[in-house]
Amino acid sequence: MYENLHAPMPAYKEIKLYTGNGNRELAQKIADILHLELSGLKIEKFANGEIYCRFEESVRGDEVFIIQSITGSNVNDILMELLIAADAAKRASAASVTAVIPHYAYARQDRKAAPREPITARLVANLLETSGVDRVITLDLHQGQIQGFFDIPVTHLTALDLFGQYYNDLAEEKGWNTDEMVVVSPDAGRAKAAKKLADMIGCNLAIAAKGRPKHNVSEVLAVIGDIKDKICIVNDDMIDTAGTLCGSVKELKKQGAREIYVCATHGIFSGPAIERLQEAPIEECCVTDAIPCAVANQPGSKIKTISVADELAEAINQVYTNQPTSTIFGGGAEL
């Protein structure tokens, strides 16, 4: 029975998908595209609120992908679910652990903007690596340089191509001419990404110059570019309370914008965000399903969604089969 002991071992690496409570609907879409089952991950809480995770099957020697958007009113619990699940997978001898993070939380704190501030984007990166994550697949980081906070591979995807296709299709449907359209960057920091979206659509770019007296509050000082009688498409990476966005939209309307459309990869929609968007002078707000939104696509709602499931599923497949992710639209994008 020991005669083949030194023969080459067969390849047993199997792909397995898991998810926590961050965005189960998106995780199921990804699993369906890949023709895989979402495997069993038991998540419970102790009486004092501590989180417990356990894989209900063996993951020894498997390639484990944990799909978890770090978002929601219980964002810290969601982050802990991911960290604990990664630790459990490593301790169960998984061959590798890939964290698929459609929304990377704490990314807004990516530098010290004032004395005695933390850099939580780096802190979360350190926590993920310490927990046993071997690589990360994520979508539209708040700042592209956050990739440099990791010492493990990071596949950074973007939804810009999806938005470009969405507005090209909308322009064809409504009979818009690209000369009457303009992409508006909400601030100078988003100008590079907004320029890429403008190039995809084939229209001009405008930039809203603003000041930010405190968190979640801003004031538009000027708009650089021609927006008078134009169909404006305001693009950002996230919408949180929508206070900043709605202030910019009102200023665009004052300066003569004809119609205003808003798009963002991550619709966080904290507090009064939905109500503000419903009352704002916009035609619609288009976000991805990287973060779940119960009111999206409902009758009377200005919130529309497009899915990033195909893009994330392809990235998972390329990573698992050791193929380049640069072939994915937006793969390795420099935003």
Side-chain angles (χ1 to χ4, degrees), residues 13-14 28 54 72 78 85 98 103 118 151 164 176 180 207 209 215 236 239 275 291 294 304 318:
K13 288 186 182 179
E14 180 182 351
Q28 188 60 60
R54 179 178 181 270
I78 298 299
T98 300
H103 177 253
D151 290 323
W176 295 338
E180 56 185 342
I207 301 172
H215 295 306
D236 211 343
I239 301 172
E275 183 181 349
I291 296 176
K304 312 295 180 187
Q318 296 295 84

Side-chain angles (χ1 to χ4, degrees), residues 5 22 50 58 68 91 119-120 147 175 207 248 254-255 277 281 285 301 311 316 321:
L5 186 61
E50 292 179 7
S58 174
Q68 182 85 316
R91 294 180 189 278
I119 304 179
T120 51
Q147 296 171 80
I207 301 172
S248 299
K254 284 180 186 177
Q255 297 199 22
L277 290 168
C285 172
S301 175
E311 188 175 6
I316 290 171
T321 57

Side-chain angles (χ1 to χ4, degrees), residues 156-187:
H156 186 208
L157 305 173
T158 177
L160 277 181
D161 298 76
L162 296 175
F163 287 126
Q165 186 60 53
Y166 179 82
Y167 287 110
N168 280 325
D169 292 343
L170 192 62
E172 184 176 349
E173 176 189 327
K174 292 183 175 291
W176 295 338
N177 190 306
T178 54
D179 291 340
E180 56 185 342
M181 300 170 67
V182 59
V183 172
V184 181
S185 172
D187 52 45

Side-chain angles (χ1 to χ4, degrees), residues 8-9 12 14 22 35 39 63 150 154 215 258 293 297 299 305:
M9 291 289 291
Y12 286 114
E14 180 182 351
H35 303 288
S39 302
E63 300 247 8
F150 290 88
V154 176
H215 295 306
R258 190 172 100 202
C293 178
N297 305 317
T305 60

